[in-house]
Amino acid sequence: MYWSDSQSDETITIPDDVVDAVFSISCRCLPVDHAHALRQALLAALPWLAEEQEAGIHPIHGAESGNGWMRPDRPEDLLYLSRRTKLTLRLPKHRIEDVARLSGVTLDIAGHALVVAASTVRALSPITTIFARYVALDAGADEEVFLAAAMAQLHGLGIKPKKMLCGIEKSIATPDGNVRTRSLMVADLSMEESIRLQQHGLGPLRQLGCGLFIPHKDIDEVRRAQS
């Protein structure tokens, strides 16, 4: 954990050069570790994604729990999806019309049919506590080493985080081997820093769902829950 307290007030206009395309989907279940299969299916349906190296595919996460059900952790387990589950792609604005053609397509994700329905466009969030479920920094298993690597990359983006918290190590399977990742929460950013980090992401492998930040509850709540 990295921690430094300060406060500031600001307003900012949210740029729309990078946005999220959010699709309703119909899919009964997917393997917990489906990132590579999802990427391959989307590349088959949208070949231009291969040219957009900074385009990101958000992981299809589903609910953590509900009606006594807890989200499984093993990569080979099945993740059962609700009707509210979405497929979200982070894209440059000029690709919005292109990605809209995905509506009506059925994707084969590791043998599971995922029907893509209507889409909406969502701007990036001005919230100053943001979270990535997977960040691949090749920094080994040590938490402090991971945070130091994250700090260095954030400084390279002109971002000076005051609070960071990372999670346990998780792997994403690919034909080239497992990718080691950790979740990362960054808090007390300025609004401009938050949007910049959402635009650029952190580390490689956006199309495996890595380095993509989304809004999250305040980091102080998470710290209290872990104490």
Side-chain angles (χ1 to χ4, degrees):
M1 185 184 298
Y2 173 80
W3 216 265
S4 173
D5 284 311
S6 67
Q7 294 183 347
S8 64
D9 296 318
E10 64 175 318
T11 58
I12 189 172
T13 300
I14 300 175
D16 64 354
D17 52 328
V18 176
V19 295
D20 281 339
V22 183
F23 291 86
S24 297
I25 60 173
S26 176
C27 181
R28 182 171 181 267
C29 59
L30 291 174
V32 169
D33 187 357
H34 59 265
H36 181 263
L38 178 59
R39 176 184 181 273
Q40 294 305 104
L42 285 169
L43 283 174
L46 305 170
W48 52 263
L49 266 178
E51 306 167 10
E52 296 287 354
Q53 294 302 312
E54 294 304 310
I57 302 170
H58 289 268
I60 298 175
H61 194 68
E64 292 289 351
S65 62
N67 297 322
W69 176 86
M70 296 297 294
R71 187 179 190 276
D73 287 326
R74 294 185 302 175
E76 67 274 14
D77 286 341
L78 291 179
L79 176 65
Y80 288 87
L81 306 179
S82 75
R83 294 180 180 179
R84 296 189 300 273
T85 304
K86 306 294 183 182
L87 169 65
T88 305
L89 280 69
R90 184 155 293 169
L91 299 165
K93 182 181 178 180
H94 71 270
R95 285 298 189 181
I96 290 303
E97 289 187 9
D98 296 330
V99 80
R101 297 167 189 163
L102 195 60
S103 295
V105 172
T106 299
L107 303 175
D108 182 344
I109 315 296
H112 300 270
L114 185 153
V115 181
V116 184
S119 65
T120 59
V121 176
R122 184 173 63 201
L124 300 182
S125 173
I127 290 176
T128 58
T129 296
I130 55 178
F131 172 76
R133 289 192 173 95
Y134 307 99
V135 177
L137 291 180
D138 194 26
D142 183 81
E143 178 178 329
E144 295 305 316
V145 174
F146 177 89
L147 287 172
M151 180 76 78
Q153 289 208 14
L154 289 168
H155 284 175
L157 293 172
I159 296 170
K160 297 180 179 179
K162 299 179 180 67
K163 299 177 182 178
M164 295 194 299
L165 181 67
C166 68
I168 63 173
E169 183 174 328
K170 292 188 177 181
S171 294
I172 297 173
T174 77
D176 298 323
N178 287 347
V179 176
R180 299 166 68 181
T181 77
R182 284 180 182 268
S183 62
L184 181 66
M185 187 182 298
V186 186
D188 279 8
L189 297 169
S190 68
M191 281 189 271
E192 191 273 337
E193 286 176 327
S194 173
I195 291 167
R196 190 187 315 157
L197 183 50
Q198 292 172 72
Q199 289 174 320
H200 291 278
L202 197 69
L205 305 177
R206 300 283 180 280
Q207 295 185 8
L208 290 178
C210 296
L212 298 172
F213 285 84
I214 58 176
H216 202 273
K217 62 185 177 182
D218 186 81
I219 197 169
D220 289 315
E221 297 178 31
V222 177
R223 183 175 61 166
R224 286 193 294 270
Q226 292 184 341
S227 62

